[in-house]
Structures are given as structure tokens and as C-alpha cells.
Amino acid sequence: MRSGFSLFLLATIQPLISALPLNSSEPASWDIEGFAKDNPLGTTTGGEGGPTVTVETAAELKTAVAGDSPAVVYIKGEIALPSRLKVGSNKSVIGVGSSAHITGSGIDIYSRTNVIIRNVKISFIKGNDGITIRNSTRVWVDHNEFESDITQGPDAFDGQVDIIRASDWITLSWNYFHDHWKSSLVGNDPSFRDLDFGHLHVTYHHNHWKNEGTRGPAGRFGHLHVYNNLYEDYLYQALHSRSDNQMLVEGNVFRGKTREALSTYGLVIPDDSPNTCVCGDEEIDGFANLGAENDWGSATVNITQVGTFDKAPYEYILTPLASVASVVEQGAGVVLSTCI
Ligand SMILES: *[C@@H]1O[C@H](CO)[C@@H](O)[C@H](O)[C@H]1NC(C)=O
Ligand SMILES: *[C@@H]1O[C@H](CO)[C@@H](O)[C@H](O)[C@H]1NC(C)=O
Ligand SMILES: *[C@@H]1O[C@H](CO)[C@@H](O)[C@H](O)[C@H]1NC(C)=O
Ligand SMILES: *[C@@H]1O[C@H](CO)[C@@H](O)[C@H](O)[C@H]1NC(C)=O
């Protein structure tokens, strides 16, 4: 738990307004927003309507999330996963209180639809991503915490949440990503153009990134709407739109030792992946559009081409820029949900 919230019942989503010391009627919402809500396939509902089960061991968790029939799965306490957790369609995975914690192995959402992951800490996942969303649609990743160790270099850990292989209609909201190098990659290979193009619609809002390296997020071929996020000490490059990716960037705040806030220059910088050349890997550029004003702090911005994604195709609540840092600091991450 990161701040003084104790009033929220995550199962029945409450608006944020009663808890924040803000003088605004609607500074932000904790309801589902963005592509996971408004899309051609229908709103992401997870396990709504299905049975509820509370799990405390890896074996119980594995069983509870298997199959595609709806279920709401509450995680209690820490679970060290011995292998990747394969989550089926129509599932909500929700942490109880503020101590639900997954370590060891991470979560795979592979070729599935309609999945919600909330209120869980996912840390120090070795050899793979915290969450991999692959060939899957309608996923909402909300109010989680992701942590590892940035001091071990770019390749000690994989992504925190990676979204690949034509996945679509996804929202990442109110997550706390910290102490990690490569955070969130959308589209994992420049050669997957035909597969990915026209998919990979992802909304990132009210996430808190702190002491991170690159990919906050980095996108290829997708449409990423990035609004009202707080970036603190995003050391090398926060937002990267490359390989014809479209990014709409608005109302974000960049603080501290953040070197580059946003780039559409295709070069994959050596701080990210010194793969084929110490000077970095060449890719073609992406696009970016700026919506509501951002606070770049002292970070640089390199927009080489402006795109066509200049307006999100849905309604959303934009937090006033002056309130973004406090709203996100207080609201992002795991929260105590007392009533579960
Ligand atoms: C809140 O807004 C009201 C009406 O706009 C104003 O009178 C009041 O002084 C504000 N309070 C604070 C703490 O800013
Ligand atoms: C569950 O998911 C499958 C897709 O894997 C879908 O076809 C089905 O309609 C879903 N069931 C319910 C009750 O939503
Ligand atoms: C992608 O997911 C669909 C189910 O939505 C499945 O039918 C298809 O085989 C999957 N494709 C790959 C390449 O995994
Ligand atoms: C910005 O993009 C241009 C390409 O248009 C590139 O030459 C330049 O090196 C980039 N600047 C930085 C700081 O990466």
C-alpha cells in the first residue's frame, strides 16, 4: 500500500473523487477507460458473472484461472509461481488487501480475451516478462505494482508488461512501475509488420513510472494513447514511437533525471538494446501527436513526424496538468481493498 487509501472496494469500482484532496469535481476516474472499454469487441468485463474463488497457493491459482468460463479469482498473500501462469479468457485476477504478490514466474495471457488483472504486486520475475499479452484482446491491467532491480543492467530482467503478436484493445491504468530497465514493449519485432499492423491499440493512463530505463512504453505498428502518466527519473528514454507506430501523448508529467521524454526517431538507442551494433539498431521512425499540454520538465522531445492519431476515439477524463503528479502518486499501485 502506497498511501492513505483504505476505503476502496476494488470489486465494485468506485470513483476516485472521494479520496483525493483535490478541488475538482472529477480529477480522474478509477473506472475502466480507454481501448479496453471502448472497442468493437465490447467492454472488458473479466470474470463478471462467474463464481468467486480465493486462492493462496500456486496450485490453487493455476487451477482457478484455467479454462475460459468466467471466474473472479482473489489472490491472498504471496505466491511464488514455479512456472508461467496461463490465464484463460473471461477472468478477473484481483489481489486481496495490499499484500497480494506474485514472484518467481510471471503471467501469460496467450490467445485469450477478456482478462482483468488488478491490485497485485508482481516483482523480480526472472527470464521473462511480468505479464505477456500475446495474440489476445480486451485486457485491463489496473492498480498493480511492478518492481525489479535496475542496477543489474538492461538484460537482467525482461519487460514489465509486454503486448505482442496482434494483441488489441488493452488498457494499462494506475500501475506503479519502478526500479526496472525495459518496462513495456508493444510489438516485439520489426519484422512482424503484417501481423501487427492494424492491431495493438493500447491506452496507458495514470501510471506512475519511477527509476526506470526505457520503454515507458515503446511501440511498433500500434496506436498508443498515453495520457496523465507521471514519469520520475525515467533515465534514458520514456516514450518511443518507432516502426510506423502512432502515439497520442497528452497531459503527462516528466520529472527528475529523465533524459528523453518522447522520441519518434526510429533508432533503438544502445541504452535499450545494443543488439547488432554498439551505436544502436536502426528502425524506421514512428509518429507522435501531442494533445493536451504535457509538462516535459528538463527532458528532451524529438518528434520527427506527426501522425494521424490526434484524437482518442472514446471519452475519458483528463486530469488537469497541475494535479497529475499528486493524483498519480496517491492513486497508482496496489491499494488496500478492505471489503474483499
Ligand atoms: C475550491 O474551489 C472553490 C470554488 O471554485 C474555491 O472557492 C475554493 O477556495 C477552492 N479551495 C481550494 C482549497 O483551493
Ligand atoms: C469466454 O471466452 C470465450 C473466448 O475464449 C468466448 O467465446 C465466450 O463467449 C466467453 N464466455 C462468456 C460467458 O463471456
Ligand atoms: C490467436 O488466437 C486465436 C484465438 O483468439 C487462435 O484461434 C489463433 O490460433 C491464435 N493464433 C496464434 C498464432 O497463436
Ligand atoms: C532526433 O531525430 C533526428 C532524426 O530526425 C536524429 O538525427 C537526431 O539524432 C535525434 N536526436 C536525438 C537526441 O536522438
Side-chain angles (χ1 to χ4, degrees):
M1 186 176 150
R2 305 189 48 233
S3 61
F5 292 172
S6 60
L7 304 173
F8 290 99
L9 172 58
L10 278 172
T12 58
I13 305 151
Q14 305 247 345
L16 183 64
I17 48 176
S18 56
L20 285 174
L22 292 168
N23 196 15
S24 159
S25 59
E26 281 190 335
S29 167
W30 281 13
D31 291 346
I32 186 169
E33 270 185 3
F35 286 120
K37 173 169 186 265
D38 295 305
N39 66 69
L41 305 180
T43 295
T44 304
T45 54
E48 193 180 282
T52 292
V53 58
T54 301
V55 301
E56 297 185 50
T57 68
E60 289 169 358
L61 177 56
K62 183 180 172 184
T63 304
V65 299
D68 290 332
S69 54
V72 179
V73 179
Y74 290 113
I75 296 184
K76 210 171 172 183
E78 181 170 332
I79 294 180
L81 289 174
S83 57
R84 303 286 293 174
L85 185 71
K86 304 278 182 193
V87 178
S89 297
N90 313 313
K91 296 289 183 297
S92 297
V93 177
I94 301 173
V96 176
S98 57
S99 59
H101 188 177
I102 286 177
T103 60
S105 292
I107 296 175
D108 283 341
I109 303 170
Y110 272 25
S111 306
R112 291 295 178 265
T113 188
N114 195 24
V115 173
I116 295 174
I117 312 277
R118 303 187 87 187
N119 206 42
V120 182
K121 179 169 181 176
I122 299 173
S123 71
F124 292 92
I125 304 304
K126 277 289 192 180
N128 207 331
D129 306 322
I131 298 177
T132 308
I133 302 169
R134 170 178 161 150
N135 184 41
S136 293
T137 55
R138 297 193 297 154
V139 181
W140 186 28
V141 178
D142 177 71
H143 275 105
N144 303 287
E145 177 177 346
F146 298 86
E147 177 189 13
S148 69
D149 180 3
I150 195 173
T151 66
Q152 296 181 36
D155 295 321
F157 297 92
D158 210 333
Q160 291 183 306
V161 180
D162 281 6
I163 299 164
I164 64 172
R165 309 291 166 91
S167 288
D168 224 344
W169 315 121
I170 290 159
T171 296
L172 271 63
S173 53
W174 300 103
N175 298 289
Y176 181 34
F177 297 101
H178 63 105
D179 299 289
H180 187 95
W181 203 294
K182 301 193 253 197
S183 186
S184 187
L185 182 64
V186 179
N188 68 332
D189 195 315
S191 70
F192 291 160
R193 167 177 292 270
D194 291 347
L195 179 69
D196 285 342
F197 212 91
H199 302 285
L200 301 173
H201 292 84
V202 188
T203 303
Y204 289 84
H205 74 88
H206 296 92
N207 298 289
H208 185 185
W209 270 277
K210 189 172 183 178
N211 200 32
E212 300 261 300
T214 57
R215 309 186 183 176
R220 297 182 172 100
F221 309 123
H223 283 73
L224 314 189
H225 183 203
V226 180
Y227 66 94
N228 288 156
N229 298 280
L230 172 62
Y231 298 85
E232 282 184 273
D233 298 332
Y234 212 110
L235 300 176
Y236 308 109
Q237 182 181 63
L239 296 164
H240 194 201
S241 187
R242 61 185 185 245
S243 283
D244 282 339
N245 184 74
Q246 302 264 354
M247 205 182 261
L248 172 57
V249 180
E250 53 179 346
N252 301 285
V253 171
F254 297 82
R255 294 258 185 275
K257 291 176 284 173
T258 299
R259 188 172 76 192
E260 186 167 48
L262 165 64
S263 176
T264 63
Y265 178 39
L267 181 78
V268 181
I269 56 173
D271 302 291
D272 184 87
S273 299
N275 290 338
T276 54
C277 166
V278 289
C279 49
D281 289 348
E282 300 283 349
E283 277 181 38
I284 62 171
D285 292 6
F287 301 88
N289 288 77
L290 302 180
E293 190 189 344
N294 297 276
D295 175 355
W296 306 114
S298 56
T300 62
V301 173
N302 196 6
I303 298 178
T304 58
Q305 43 182 15
V306 170
T308 54
F309 185 30
D310 56 1
K311 193 174 181 311
Y314 46 72
E315 285 185 10
Y316 56 103
I317 298 174
L318 200 59
T319 302
L321 190 60
S323 304
V324 168
S326 62
V327 165
V328 172
E329 239 164 22
Q330 293 176 66
V334 167
V335 294
L336 189 62
S337 46
T338 46
C339 306
I340 292 169

